[in-house]
Amino acid sequence: QGLVSKAGWLIGYIQITEFVGRSYRRTVGIVYQVAFTVGLLLLAGVAYVLPHWRWLQVTVTLPNICFLLYYWCIPESPRWLISQSKNAKAMRILKYIAKKNGKSLPASLQSLRPDEEVDEKLNPSFLDLIRTPQIRKHTLILMYNWFTSSVLYQGLIMHMGLAGSNIYLDFFYSALVEFPAAIIIILTIDRIGRRYPWATSNIVAGAACLASVFIPEDLQWLRVTVSCLGRMGITMA
């Protein structure tokens, strides 16, 4: 599970976002996250049927083998092919996409010759993330944010199991809040930008965690509600 889950999720995200234009990239990325939320809802039911954690892990991990059955029919990313000076393969894929969509290739792509070679192939490395002061600052900020968001997201999921009375229903309810989180992001990210929704969602998640410390144990409904609010905030972040 540790080997395939995060890697499969990240590779799938990169694959689909490289196939769409920039104006659609944000929406596609958010909808892709919604598919993860649907999986969480299904996980609650599977866990109820298979309460033993070993069988549960096997059940949710084995379906990854299915990805090996159809990898050959998934086209390579045209953006990556062009960056590697494989323009002929990129043009074949782009023409196939345009044909299926009933559209013609944009002028900028029509001018791309299949036999055209770039002076140098792009060979990115990890050093590119720290090469200049500006990109180094952004890299460190994003690394810190991904670390804190991931820890808090996992922590809130585990907290639901400790704070609630029915672990399956509480997990199900907490997963439902990820749907409004996705809707809020879709509605705000283009109108307001990234920084304000990001900052606000982090504040909401942090405030929910802080408030949950002071809620008495006999107020289970309030503890679950606050945890769900924090879950929604960190999902948006």
Side-chain angles (χ1 to χ4, degrees):
Q1 176 67 6
L3 177 68
V4 300
S5 60
K6 274 295 180 184
W9 183 88
L10 184 60
I11 293 169
Y13 174 83
I14 295 171
Q15 184 82 354
I16 63 172
T17 52
E18 288 191 351
F19 267 99
V20 298
R22 291 183 179 180
S23 60
Y24 297 100
R25 204 176 277 179
R26 294 178 292 274
T27 304
V28 166
I30 295 169
V31 172
Y32 182 70
Q33 174 67 28
V34 171
F36 179 83
T37 305
V38 173
L40 292 178
L41 298 178
L42 295 175
L43 178 62
V46 176
Y48 180 78
V49 176
L50 299 172
H52 196 283
W53 70 269
R54 285 192 176 91
W55 285 112
L56 178 61
Q57 286 286 75
V58 170
T59 303
V60 300
T61 305
L62 281 181
N64 286 281
I65 297 175
C66 297
F67 294 141
L68 301 175
L69 303 178
Y70 62 86
Y71 81 95
W72 52 271
C73 65
I74 299 177
E76 185 55 83
S77 165
R79 296 178 188 272
W80 182 81
L81 289 172
I82 292 173
S83 73
Q84 298 301 305
S85 188
K86 299 179 180 180
N87 293 350
K89 292 182 179 179
M91 286 298 295
R92 285 199 299 269
I93 294 173
L94 290 171
K95 288 178 180 179
Y96 176 78
I97 293 173
K99 180 181 177 181
K100 289 294 183 180
N101 288 335
K103 298 179 180 286
S104 57
L105 284 176
S108 58
L109 292 176
Q110 289 178 354
S111 61
L112 181 67
R113 297 180 180 179
D115 56 349
E116 183 180 357
E117 294 291 336
V118 294
D119 296 334
E120 183 180 358
K121 293 182 180 180
L122 296 179
N123 294 308
S125 69
F126 286 110
L127 292 177
D128 294 331
L129 297 175
I130 56 174
R131 199 174 297 279
T132 64
Q134 186 74 356
I135 195 67
R136 188 160 54 243
K137 180 183 73 173
H138 290 168
T139 297
L140 292 175
I141 290 173
L142 286 173
M143 287 174 64
Y144 174 77
N145 186 62
W146 268 111
F147 173 77
T148 54
S149 295
S150 299
V151 170
L152 186 52
Y153 183 84
Q154 291 295 126
L156 285 170
I157 291 178
M158 295 179 181
H159 179 69
M160 292 299 300
L162 298 174
S165 56
N166 187 316
I167 187 173
Y168 304 106
L169 286 178
D170 293 337
F171 184 88
F172 184 84
Y173 295 149
S174 65
L176 285 176
V177 302
E178 295 193 9
F179 289 108
I183 295 173
I184 293 173
I185 284 294
I186 290 176
L187 295 177
T188 59
I189 198 168
D190 283 334
R191 294 172 174 83
I192 302 176
R194 278 92 166 134
R195 291 186 297 174
Y196 290 116
W198 175 67
T200 303
S201 59
N202 273 294
I203 291 173
V204 169
C209 289
L210 187 62
S212 64
V213 178
F214 301 99
I215 299 175
E217 292 186 5
D218 55 338
L219 295 177
Q220 291 288 349
W221 65 271
L222 185 57
R223 297 184 71 183
V224 172
T225 301
V226 171
S227 296
C228 287
L229 187 63
R231 173 87 173 266
M232 184 173 70
I234 203 61
T235 300
M236 291 175 60

